């Protein structure tokens, strides 16, 4: 399984970006897909997750109401729509796939994900 993240860039505070994560090598009908981020000098943190089957979503409190995760099964692609961006959202964003269904807070645990993309840089200027 290979994950390719894209869509990062430089944006002003209050702006929007949409990240994409294209998966190849396997279908994801029973997987969870997640987005994580890591800012310089900080630990990796959970952002959002989606369960392909049923489409349920789970968000970190810091992005609720601003970010939206979605998926397109036909394209094996997950998206992260980021609105009302803040400077503190600046980080390298990584997508990840789990080979098992994750529920509740397990969706926020990076150790539960089996495959990771290469990351895409998001920079929000003030």
């Amino acid at each position: 399984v290979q994950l390719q993240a894209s869509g990062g860039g430089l944006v002003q505070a209050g702006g929007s970006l949409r990240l994409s994560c294209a998966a190849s090598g396997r279908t994801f009908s029973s997987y969870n897909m997640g987005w994580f981020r890591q800012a310089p000098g900080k630990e990796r943190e959970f952002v959002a997750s989606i369960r392909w089957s049923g489409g349920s979503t789970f968000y970190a409190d810091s992005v609720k109401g601003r970010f939206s995760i979605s998926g397109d099964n036909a394209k094996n692609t997950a998206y992260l729509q980021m609105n009302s961006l803040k400077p503190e959202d600046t980080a390298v964003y990584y997508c990840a796939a789990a080979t098992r269904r994750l529920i509740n807070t397990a969706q926020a645990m990076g150790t539960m994900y089996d495959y990771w993309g290469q990351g895409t840089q998001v920079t929000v200027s003030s």
Side-chain angles (χ1 to χ4, degrees), residues 81-111:
Q81 178 67 44
M82 305 185 295
N83 299 326
S84 302
L85 282 162
K86 304 175 181 180
E88 50 264 44
D89 294 318
T90 295
V92 177
Y93 283 70
Y94 299 90
C95 61
T99 57
R100 76 213 83 181
R101 293 188 182 186
L102 305 180
I103 60 173
N104 301 325
T105 56
Q107 298 177 82
M109 298 172 60
T111 53

Side-chain angles (χ1 to χ4, degrees), residues 25-57:
R26 245 179 125 162
T27 60
F28 285 82
S29 59
S30 61
Y31 291 0
N32 271 76
M33 291 285 288
W35 286 96
F36 292 76
R37 66 187 182 187
Q38 187 167 20
K42 295 187 177 181
E43 293 187 353
R44 182 181 64 195
E45 65 174 355
F46 169 76
V47 176
S49 177
I50 185 169
R51 190 180 307 155
W52 284 119
S53 177
S56 63
T57 57

Side-chain angles (χ1 to χ4, degrees), residues 111-124:
T111 53
M112 300 300 287
Y113 291 80
D114 304 286
Y115 301 99
W116 291 82
Q118 85 288 1
T120 184
Q121 176 70 47
V122 172
T123 303
V124 184

